[in-house]
Amino acid sequence: MKRTLAIFGALLTLSACSGGIDNSRLRVDVVEDSPREIAVGRMPLSPASAYLRNATAQGLVAFDGEGRVVPALASRWIVTDDDLGYIFRLQKTRWNNGREVRSDEVATALKTRVAELRASRFGDELAKIDKILPMTGKVVEIRLKAPVPNLLELLAQPEFGMIHKANGSGPMVAERISGSLQLRNRIDEVDGSIAFDEKRVILAAHAPSRALARFALGQSDLVLNGRFEHLPLLTATDGNEAGTRFDAVPGLFGLLVKGDGPFLSSSSNREAIAMAIDRPRLLTSFGITDWRETLTLAPEALTNREQLPRPSWASQNAQQRKASARSTIAAWEAANGGVRPLRIAMPRGTGSRILFARIRSDLAAIGLDVERVTYAQDADLVLVDRVADISSPGWYLDQMSCLATPVCSAQADRLLDEARGALTREERIRLWGEAERELIATRNFIPIANPVRWSQVRDGLLGFAQNPRGWHPLQYLGHDPT
């Protein structure tokens, strides 16, 4: 570790000598633990491939640089009064081969996407799509079996970028030049031809240490997709804090119960683990002010979430919580015998080691021992670090279903199924609330914090904005947002 810090210190010294930024030729590195070829068709999309597909294959809608849903292939849309129909009017645009985009082509491409993604993490929402119909001229209609309140957020995901006969529709076009993947924004001319902006974005995927070393040496202008386990590497480049941007994103960051042995089968024991974790102390180990503790499954301020009480122990201080948890564990051991070390699966990386050390210390204080394992090994608890795809309580409940963990609630699953078919907002919120109450009682997830994502941004880079999705589309980079 000392040698790593020394290397990064040397790299940082070199980076201080690098010049300004050229916004006409930007170099973007996406962090991937195991980088693979960037390809828009391989599912699930790797982080770099998701950026490529988002840039070169538009969906009906997209996310802008601030995380808002904005027009893409569709210039505008309306929602029917019963919330069961979305009617999109397409803008006049062309596929990358120069052919004008037609509604029947978009409808066919979207049907194909929906069929391909039914087995993905979007499957529960996609099951509510009844028909996708091309209408006259430039109109596509999506008909639903039940309302999907966050359908636009779903369709803005990079996976829903559409391709027709191997052609996307921009807003960028990618080509390989001298071994590099280079992207340029398209300009659709009045006469129907396609021209290209002179600005270029060079996209690559690198392992965390290499991505940060390249940034320190001035070989890249933007590093995307930094996660908590990479944070110590970021800290090792001490002195470049002005270039670090943190996105506090909604989602799940905590321990999912996977083991269903005698000890973890007790909800009281699971609650004791939740009580023992000193969240503020753990998070301050990383020095990020935007990283906040959470005590609930779905965010308390989430739209359409019923206001539910925090855990009964939330008002206690850390010492009181640990004392109560220690009593619970001692009573269980007196009746059942000692507890074998619990296995916690976490990603590789120095940040994971720091997080594990804090959790191990907290659990040792209540009489429990733990071991750190990889995701490929059998585990009792699994660290979940997942950004929410849509702003819906249903998304959080989906992650805790009986398909995700053996410690679950069939009743919560049933209520969630009912919520999917609810025809009114009020009924849907009520059912979501009941399902969350069931999961609170089940205690199959131990919330720790909101997820956090970070980027390294070269001073002077145009078109980059922190946002609540942690998503930074390439087509805006290098352009003055004003």
Side-chain angles (χ1 to χ4, degrees):
M1 183 65 182
K2 290 181 179 179
R3 186 182 176 201
T4 302
L5 293 173
I7 292 172
F8 272 112
L11 293 176
L12 185 64
T13 302
L14 289 172
S15 71
C17 302
S18 61
I21 189 170
D22 180 3
N23 276 285
S24 68
R25 187 178 176 85
L26 296 173
R27 302 153 300 174
V28 178
D29 286 350
V30 181
V31 172
E32 294 183 6
D33 288 321
S34 300
R36 57 181 181 174
E37 182 183 2
I38 303 175
V40 299
R42 185 188 295 131
M43 295 292 161
L45 292 171
S46 68
S49 295
Y51 273 105
L52 177 63
R53 186 168 188 121
N54 178 78
T56 59
Q58 296 181 90
L60 288 168
V61 294
F63 294 125
D64 68 7
E66 296 184 2
R68 300 168 298 197
V69 174
V70 295
L73 282 178
S75 58
R76 58 186 185 276
W77 53 88
I78 61 172
V79 183
T80 58
D81 291 340
D82 60 4
D83 291 330
L84 296 178
Y86 282 69
I87 301 171
F88 297 87
R89 178 164 293 278
L90 304 181
Q91 62 176 312
K92 186 174 182 179
T93 189
R94 296 178 179 273
W95 301 108
N96 288 340
N97 62 0
R99 290 187 63 255
E100 189 169 338
V101 173
R102 302 197 315 260
S103 59
D104 61 322
E105 296 168 338
V106 171
T108 298
L110 185 54
K111 287 178 189 176
T112 301
R113 280 277 79 193
V114 169
E116 292 171 344
L117 293 170
R118 281 194 187 278
S120 73
R121 67 185 193 275
F122 308 114
D124 289 328
E125 300 301 324
L126 296 181
K128 290 186 277 188
I129 293 179
D130 186 20
K131 297 178 181 178
I132 300 171
L133 302 171
M135 311 298 281
T136 57
K138 292 286 187 180
V139 176
V140 172
E141 181 178 2
I142 298 178
R143 295 181 183 173
L144 305 172
K145 300 172 186 176
V148 183
N150 303 92
L151 181 64
L152 294 177
E153 282 185 284
L154 192 70
L155 295 177
Q157 300 292 330
E159 285 84 351
F160 290 89
M162 282 175 272
I163 296 174
H164 176 67
K165 295 183 178 179
N167 289 286
S169 61
M172 304 185 86
V173 173
E175 57 183 337
R176 292 194 181 276
I177 300 177
S178 301
S180 297
L181 187 60
Q182 301 191 37
L183 295 91
R184 289 184 293 170
N185 276 301
R186 277 180 27 177
I187 302 171
D188 291 356
E189 303 287 9
V190 177
D191 63 3
S193 62
I194 295 177
F196 299 97
D197 193 335
E198 292 183 359
K199 296 178 182 291
R200 296 175 184 269
V201 174
I202 301 170
L203 180 66
H206 290 291
S209 57
R210 181 171 175 80
L212 287 173
R214 282 170 49 82
F215 187 86
L217 286 168
Q219 295 174 358
S220 67
D221 304 300
L222 176 63
V223 176
L224 297 172
N225 195 46
R227 302 165 67 97
F228 92 94
E229 62 264 34
H230 312 137
L231 283 168
L233 292 177
L234 179 63
T235 304
T237 60
D238 180 73
N240 207 10
E241 295 179 2
T244 305
R245 302 287 185 273
F246 289 100
D247 295 313
V249 292
L252 296 173
F253 188 90
L255 299 174
L256 179 65
V257 180
K258 282 285 191 176
D260 56 354
F263 178 78
L264 285 176
S265 292
S266 164
S267 63
S268 295
N269 291 341
R270 299 194 296 271
E271 184 172 43
I273 294 173
M275 295 172 68
I277 297 176
D278 188 342
R279 292 161 180 80
R281 176 173 172 267
L282 184 154
L283 298 179
T284 54
S285 302
F286 295 90
I288 308 172
T289 57
D290 289 332
W291 210 3
R292 305 293 175 82
E293 69 168 315
T294 58
L295 298 174
T296 58
L297 173 57
E300 295 177 271
L302 183 65
T303 303
N304 292 332
R305 178 183 182 266
E306 188 175 303
Q307 292 302 307
L308 302 175
R310 286 182 158 198
S312 58
W313 44 264
S315 60
Q316 299 177 354
N317 62 37
Q319 290 72 28
Q320 291 170 326
R321 294 179 189 178
K322 285 183 178 177
S324 177
R326 189 163 49 247
S327 296
T328 297
I329 302 303
W332 193 92
E333 288 186 322
N336 300 278
V339 181
R340 65 165 175 79
L342 299 176
R343 297 157 300 188
I344 303 179
M346 291 186 176
R348 300 180 187 277
T350 308
S352 282
R353 290 198 291 272
I354 294 173
L355 184 75
F356 176 76
R358 291 298 193 193
I359 292 175
R360 181 173 57 188
S361 173
D362 287 336
L363 296 189
I366 65 169
L368 294 176
D369 192 15
V370 293
E371 298 174 351
R372 179 168 168 250
V373 299
T374 68
Y375 286 125
Q377 297 173 283
D378 290 337
D380 301 299
L381 301 164
V382 176
L383 181 70
V384 175
D385 179 9
R386 194 174 301 154
V387 178
D389 295 310
I390 56 177
S391 307
S392 165
W395 181 90
Y396 294 84
L397 302 175
D398 269 335
Q399 314 307 305
M400 301 298 118
S401 73
C402 291
L403 293 176
T405 175
V407 180
C408 62
S409 166
Q411 173 69 353
D413 282 6
R414 184 186 65 78
L415 289 165
L416 185 54
D417 281 338
E418 289 184 24
R420 293 189 187 103
L423 296 179
T424 67
R425 175 177 177 271
E426 292 73 20
E427 179 69 358
R428 193 160 45 249
I429 292 174
R430 182 186 69 78
L431 289 166
W432 279 337
E434 289 187 21
E436 189 170 353
R437 283 191 184 90
E438 286 289 328
L439 289 173
I440 289 171
T442 302
R443 302 182 181 95
N444 65 346
F445 181 71
I446 300 168
I448 294 176
N450 61 280
V452 67
R453 297 293 183 267
W454 56 263
S455 307
Q456 282 281 83
V457 184
R458 186 77 59 204
D459 186 39
L461 174 65
L462 298 176
F464 179 92
Q466 291 169 268
N467 67 71
R469 296 187 188 276
W471 181 253
H472 306 284
L474 304 179
Q475 59 264 36
Y476 299 102
L477 300 179
H479 298 269
D480 189 340
T482 60

